[in-house]
Amino acid sequence: MEIYEFGQRIIREAGDFIKLRMKEDFKVDAKLNPHDLVTDVDKETETYIYERILERYPDHRIIGEEGHGTDIEDMSGVLWIVDPIDGTLNFVHQLQNFAVSIGVYVDGEPYCGLILDVMGGVLYHARVGSGAFKDDIRLDEMRDTTLDRSLIGMNANWVIKDQIGPAFKKIVEQTRSTRSYGSAALEMAYVATGILSASVFFRLHPWDYSAGMIIIDEAGGRTTNLLGEEIDILKKDSILTGNKAIHKELTDYFTSDAAFIAGHRRVHGEKR
Ligand code: 2AM
Ligand code: CA
Ligand code: CA
Ligand code: CA
Protein backbone atom coordinates (compact mmCIF):
# COMPACT_ATOMS: atom_id res chain seq x y z
CA MET A 1 0.00 0.00 0.00
CA GLU A 2 1.20 3.46 -0.79
CA ILE A 3 2.17 5.84 1.98
CA TYR A 4 -0.66 8.22 1.03
CA GLU A 5 -3.37 5.57 1.33
CA PHE A 6 -1.79 4.22 4.51
CA GLY A 7 -1.73 7.77 5.95
CA GLN A 8 -5.44 8.20 5.20
CA ARG A 9 -6.18 4.93 6.92
CA ILE A 10 -4.18 5.60 10.09
CA ILE A 11 -5.43 9.16 10.49
CA ARG A 12 -9.01 7.86 10.41
CA GLU A 13 -8.07 5.11 12.88
CA ALA A 14 -6.48 7.75 15.13
CA GLY A 15 -9.75 9.72 14.94
CA ASP A 16 -11.69 6.61 15.97
CA PHE A 17 -9.21 6.06 18.81
CA ILE A 18 -9.80 9.62 20.10
CA LYS A 19 -13.59 9.30 19.85
CA LEU A 20 -13.55 6.11 21.94
CA ARG A 21 -10.97 7.37 24.41
CA MET A 22 -12.71 10.69 25.09
CA LYS A 23 -15.77 8.86 26.44
CA GLU A 24 -13.65 7.92 29.45
CA ASP A 25 -12.02 10.29 31.93
CA PHE A 26 -8.77 11.89 30.90
CA LYS A 27 -6.23 14.03 32.69
CA VAL A 28 -5.66 17.65 31.66
CA ASP A 29 -2.32 19.32 32.46
CA ALA A 30 -0.97 22.81 31.79
CA LYS A 31 2.29 22.85 29.82
CA LEU A 32 4.04 26.24 30.00
CA ASN A 33 1.03 28.35 31.01
CA PRO A 34 -2.72 28.01 31.67
CA HIS A 35 -3.49 28.71 27.97
CA ASP A 36 -1.35 25.78 26.88
CA LEU A 37 -2.95 22.45 27.82
CA VAL A 38 -2.17 18.84 27.10
CA THR A 39 -4.26 15.77 27.91
CA ASP A 40 -3.62 12.05 28.19
CA VAL A 41 -5.50 11.72 24.92
CA ASP A 42 -2.98 13.93 23.07
CA LYS A 43 -0.10 11.75 24.30
CA GLU A 44 -1.82 8.40 23.78
CA THR A 45 -2.93 9.34 20.27
CA GLU A 46 0.57 10.39 19.29
CA THR A 47 1.93 7.08 20.59
CA TYR A 48 -0.80 5.21 18.71
CA ILE A 49 0.09 6.92 15.42
CA TYR A 50 3.83 6.50 16.08
CA GLU A 51 3.50 2.77 16.68
CA ARG A 52 1.24 2.20 13.69
CA ILE A 53 3.67 3.92 11.34
CA LEU A 54 6.75 2.10 12.65
CA GLU A 55 4.95 -1.25 12.61
CA ARG A 56 4.47 -0.87 8.88
CA TYR A 57 7.52 1.22 7.95
CA PRO A 58 10.32 0.55 10.48
CA ASP A 59 12.75 2.88 8.68
CA HIS A 60 10.47 5.93 8.61
CA ARG A 61 10.98 8.76 11.13
CA ILE A 62 8.33 10.62 13.10
CA ILE A 63 8.23 14.03 14.77
CA GLY A 64 5.27 14.70 17.07
CA GLU A 65 4.23 17.59 19.28
CA GLU A 66 4.07 15.42 22.39
CA GLY A 67 7.68 14.32 22.37
CA HIS A 68 8.49 11.89 19.58
CA GLY A 69 11.47 12.68 17.37
CA THR A 70 12.93 15.56 19.38
CA ASP A 71 16.39 14.48 18.19
CA ILE A 72 15.51 14.79 14.49
CA GLU A 73 17.42 17.63 12.82
CA ASP A 74 17.42 16.72 9.15
CA MET A 75 14.82 15.67 6.60
CA SER A 76 16.43 12.64 4.99
CA GLY A 77 14.26 9.61 4.27
CA VAL A 78 10.53 9.55 4.97
CA LEU A 79 9.57 11.96 7.73
CA TRP A 80 6.09 12.08 9.28
CA ILE A 81 5.21 15.29 11.15
CA VAL A 82 2.30 14.62 13.51
CA ASP A 83 0.00 16.72 15.65
CA PRO A 84 -2.21 14.15 17.43
CA ILE A 85 -4.72 16.80 18.54
CA ASP A 86 -4.59 20.26 17.01
CA GLY A 87 -6.90 22.47 19.00
CA THR A 88 -6.43 20.93 22.45
CA LEU A 89 -8.28 23.85 24.08
CA ASN A 90 -11.28 23.09 21.87
CA PHE A 91 -10.93 19.40 22.72
CA VAL A 92 -10.99 20.17 26.46
CA HIS A 93 -13.71 22.84 26.43
CA GLN A 94 -15.92 21.81 23.51
CA LEU A 95 -15.15 18.16 22.71
CA GLN A 96 -15.28 19.25 19.08
CA ASN A 97 -13.49 21.51 16.59
CA PHE A 98 -10.14 19.74 16.83
CA ALA A 99 -8.09 17.86 14.26
CA VAL A 100 -5.39 15.28 13.73
CA SER A 101 -2.77 16.74 11.40
CA ILE A 102 -0.08 14.78 9.53
CA GLY A 103 2.42 16.03 6.95
CA VAL A 104 4.75 13.59 5.16
CA TYR A 105 8.06 14.57 3.55
CA VAL A 106 10.37 12.41 1.44
CA ASP A 107 14.02 13.51 1.43
CA GLY A 108 12.94 17.03 2.32
CA GLU A 109 10.29 17.29 -0.39
CA PRO A 110 6.60 17.54 0.54
CA TYR A 111 4.78 14.29 -0.25
CA CYS A 112 1.30 14.43 1.28
CA GLY A 113 -0.79 16.30 3.87
CA LEU A 114 -3.73 15.00 5.91
CA ILE A 115 -6.04 16.91 8.27
CA LEU A 116 -8.92 15.07 9.94
CA ASP A 117 -11.76 17.04 11.51
CA VAL A 118 -12.38 14.31 14.06
CA MET A 119 -15.92 15.11 15.24
CA GLY A 120 -17.01 16.44 11.83
CA GLY A 121 -15.72 13.23 10.27
CA VAL A 122 -14.16 15.11 7.35
CA LEU A 123 -10.70 14.37 5.94
CA TYR A 124 -8.85 17.08 4.02
CA HIS A 125 -5.95 15.60 2.09
CA ALA A 126 -3.54 16.10 -0.78
CA ARG A 127 -0.65 14.31 -2.40
CA VAL A 128 1.76 16.56 -4.27
CA GLY A 129 0.80 16.61 -7.94
CA SER A 130 -2.58 14.91 -7.45
CA GLY A 131 -4.79 17.78 -6.24
CA ALA A 132 -6.38 18.58 -2.88
CA PHE A 133 -9.51 16.85 -1.59
CA LYS A 134 -12.22 17.14 1.02
CA ASP A 135 -13.05 13.46 1.53
CA ASP A 136 -13.42 12.28 -2.09
CA ILE A 137 -14.36 15.64 -3.58
CA ARG A 138 -11.57 17.47 -5.38
CA LEU A 139 -11.18 21.09 -4.26
CA ASP A 140 -11.39 23.85 -6.85
CA GLU A 141 -8.39 26.04 -7.52
CA MET A 142 -8.38 28.83 -4.93
CA ARG A 143 -9.75 32.10 -6.31
CA ASP A 144 -7.95 35.44 -5.89
CA THR A 145 -9.54 37.91 -3.47
CA THR A 146 -8.74 41.31 -1.94
CA LEU A 147 -8.51 42.02 1.79
CA ASP A 148 -11.56 44.29 1.87
CA ARG A 149 -13.75 41.48 0.51
CA SER A 150 -12.30 38.59 2.49
CA LEU A 151 -12.78 36.65 5.68
CA ILE A 152 -9.38 36.26 7.35
CA GLY A 153 -8.46 33.67 9.98
CA MET A 154 -6.77 35.40 12.90
CA ASN A 155 -6.38 34.86 16.64
CA ALA A 156 -7.34 37.97 18.68
CA ASN A 157 -4.36 37.41 21.02
CA TRP A 158 -1.97 39.00 18.55
CA VAL A 159 -3.91 42.28 18.39
CA ILE A 160 -3.10 43.06 22.03
CA LYS A 161 0.69 42.58 21.75
CA ASP A 162 2.87 45.71 21.89
CA GLN A 163 5.14 45.65 18.86
CA ILE A 164 3.17 43.49 16.44
CA GLY A 165 -0.35 44.36 17.65
CA PRO A 166 -0.89 47.49 15.55
CA ALA A 167 -0.25 45.60 12.30
CA PHE A 168 -2.84 42.96 13.23
CA LYS A 169 -5.25 45.71 14.32
CA LYS A 170 -5.08 47.29 10.87
CA ILE A 171 -6.02 43.95 9.33
CA VAL A 172 -9.06 43.78 11.61
CA GLU A 173 -10.06 47.25 10.41
CA GLN A 174 -9.48 46.61 6.72
CA THR A 175 -10.80 43.11 6.18
CA ARG A 176 -14.47 42.25 5.80
CA SER A 177 -14.17 40.26 9.02
CA THR A 178 -11.90 37.92 10.98
CA ARG A 179 -12.57 34.41 12.24
CA SER A 180 -10.73 32.29 14.80
CA TYR A 181 -11.35 28.56 14.96
CA GLY A 182 -8.81 27.51 17.61
CA SER A 183 -7.17 24.86 15.45
CA ALA A 184 -4.47 26.05 13.07
CA ALA A 185 -4.79 22.89 10.98
CA LEU A 186 -8.56 23.19 10.58
CA GLU A 187 -8.19 26.88 9.76
CA MET A 188 -5.70 25.98 7.02
CA ALA A 189 -8.12 23.37 5.69
CA TYR A 190 -10.78 26.11 5.54
CA VAL A 191 -8.38 28.30 3.56
CA ALA A 192 -7.84 25.43 1.12
CA THR A 193 -11.58 25.06 0.60
CA GLY A 194 -12.02 28.84 0.17
CA ILE A 195 -14.33 29.47 3.12
CA LEU A 196 -11.52 31.68 4.43
CA SER A 197 -9.42 33.69 1.95
CA ALA A 198 -6.32 33.68 4.13
CA SER A 199 -5.14 32.93 7.62
CA VAL A 200 -2.36 34.52 9.68
CA PHE A 201 -0.56 32.92 12.62
CA PHE A 202 2.25 34.47 14.54
CA ARG A 203 3.98 31.45 16.05
CA LEU A 204 3.44 27.94 14.75
CA HIS A 205 5.38 24.69 14.94
CA PRO A 206 5.94 22.29 12.03
CA TRP A 207 3.20 19.93 13.29
CA ASP A 208 0.69 22.81 13.21
CA TYR A 209 1.30 23.88 9.61
CA SER A 210 3.02 21.09 7.59
CA ALA A 211 -0.13 19.25 6.44
CA GLY A 212 -2.02 22.48 5.80
CA MET A 213 0.80 23.91 3.71
CA ILE A 214 0.84 20.87 1.43
CA ILE A 215 -2.95 20.89 0.99
CA ILE A 216 -3.05 24.64 0.29
CA ASP A 217 -0.22 24.35 -2.26
CA GLU A 218 -2.18 21.65 -4.08
CA ALA A 219 -5.29 23.86 -4.05
CA GLY A 220 -3.32 26.65 -5.75
CA GLY A 221 -2.62 28.85 -2.71
CA ARG A 222 0.62 30.11 -1.25
CA THR A 223 2.20 29.85 2.22
CA THR A 224 5.20 31.75 3.61
CA ASN A 225 5.91 33.50 6.89
CA LEU A 226 4.31 36.91 7.43
CA LEU A 227 7.36 38.61 5.90
CA GLY A 228 6.99 36.60 2.69
CA GLU A 229 9.97 34.33 3.46
CA GLU A 230 9.89 30.63 2.58
CA ILE A 231 9.17 28.25 5.47
CA ASP A 232 11.92 25.99 6.78
CA ILE A 233 9.86 22.94 7.66
CA LEU A 234 11.79 22.00 10.81
CA LYS A 235 11.42 25.44 12.40
CA LYS A 236 8.88 27.54 14.27
CA ASP A 237 7.70 30.52 12.27
CA SER A 238 4.83 32.84 11.62
CA ILE A 239 2.52 31.63 8.86
CA LEU A 240 0.59 33.51 6.20
CA THR A 241 -1.45 31.29 3.94
CA GLY A 242 -4.08 32.19 1.39
CA ASN A 243 -4.91 32.62 -2.25
CA LYS A 244 -2.07 34.12 -4.26
CA ALA A 245 -3.52 37.64 -4.57
CA ILE A 246 -4.31 38.14 -0.91
CA HIS A 247 -1.02 36.50 0.05
CA LYS A 248 0.80 39.22 -1.91
CA GLU A 249 -1.40 42.00 -0.53
CA LEU A 250 -0.71 40.87 3.04
CA THR A 251 3.04 40.24 2.70
CA ASP A 252 3.41 43.71 1.08
CA TYR A 253 1.49 45.08 4.03
CA PHE A 254 3.53 43.35 6.78
CA THR A 255 6.88 44.12 5.14
CA SER A 256 6.04 47.84 4.98
CA ASP A 257 5.68 48.03 8.78
CA ALA A 258 9.08 48.55 10.49
CA ALA A 259 7.77 47.96 14.02
CA PHE A 260 6.18 44.70 12.92
CA ILE A 261 9.40 43.53 11.24
CA ALA A 262 11.35 44.29 14.43
CA GLY A 263 8.80 42.40 16.57
CA HIS A 264 8.88 39.47 14.16
CA ARG A 265 12.70 39.34 14.22
CA ARG A 266 12.66 39.44 18.02
CA VAL A 267 10.45 36.35 18.24
CA HIS A 268 11.49 34.40 15.17
CA GLY A 269 15.09 35.55 14.66
CA GLU A 270 16.91 36.60 11.53
CA LYS A 271 16.09 34.90 8.25
CA ARG A 272 18.03 31.65 8.03
P1 2AM B 1 -2.41 22.79 19.75
O1 2AM B 1 -3.85 22.76 20.13
O2 2AM B 1 -1.94 21.56 19.05
O3 2AM B 1 -1.49 23.16 20.89
C1 2AM B 1 -4.80 27.76 18.48
O4 2AM B 1 -4.62 27.59 19.83
C2 2AM B 1 -3.79 27.03 17.65
O5 2AM B 1 -2.46 27.40 18.01
C3 2AM B 1 -3.84 25.53 17.78
O6 2AM B 1 -3.58 25.02 16.51
C4 2AM B 1 -2.73 25.21 18.76
O7 2AM B 1 -2.21 23.90 18.61
C5 2AM B 1 -1.72 26.22 18.34
N1 2AM B 1 -0.73 26.54 19.33
C6 2AM B 1 0.59 26.57 19.11
N2 2AM B 1 1.26 26.93 20.21
C7 2AM B 1 0.35 27.12 21.17
C8 2AM B 1 0.43 27.48 22.55
N3 2AM B 1 1.58 27.77 23.15
N4 2AM B 1 -0.73 27.56 23.24
C9 2AM B 1 -1.91 27.28 22.64
N5 2AM B 1 -2.03 26.97 21.35
C10 2AM B 1 -0.92 26.88 20.62
CA1 CA C 1 -0.26 21.83 22.25
CA1 CA D 1 -1.06 22.20 17.06
CA1 CA E 1 -1.41 19.42 19.53
Side-chain angles (χ1 to χ4, degrees), residues 35-36 65 83 85-88 155 182-185 203-205 208:
H35 311 289
D36 190 4
E65 179 182 7
D83 194 337
I85 297 186
D86 184 64
T88 297
N155 185 327
S183 156
R203 204 167 44 208
L204 288 188
H205 292 85
D208 300 313

Side-chain angles (χ1 to χ4, degrees), residues 98-115:
F98 59 90
V100 184
S101 176
I102 302 179
V104 184
Y105 288 76
V106 178
D107 290 327
E109 296 297 321
Y111 173 75
C112 72
L114 307 149
I115 296 172

Side-chain angles (χ1 to χ4, degrees), residues 9 67 77 133 165 199 223 229:
R9 206 180 76 202
F133 292 80
S199 198
T223 306
E229 298 163 340

Side-chain angles (χ1 to χ4, degrees), residues 206-226:
W207 42 80
D208 300 313
Y209 64 71
S210 60
M213 238 176 106
I214 293 170
I215 295 170
I216 285 165
D217 262 15
E218 275 304 302
R222 174 136 169 79
T223 306
T224 62
N225 72 9
L226 296 181

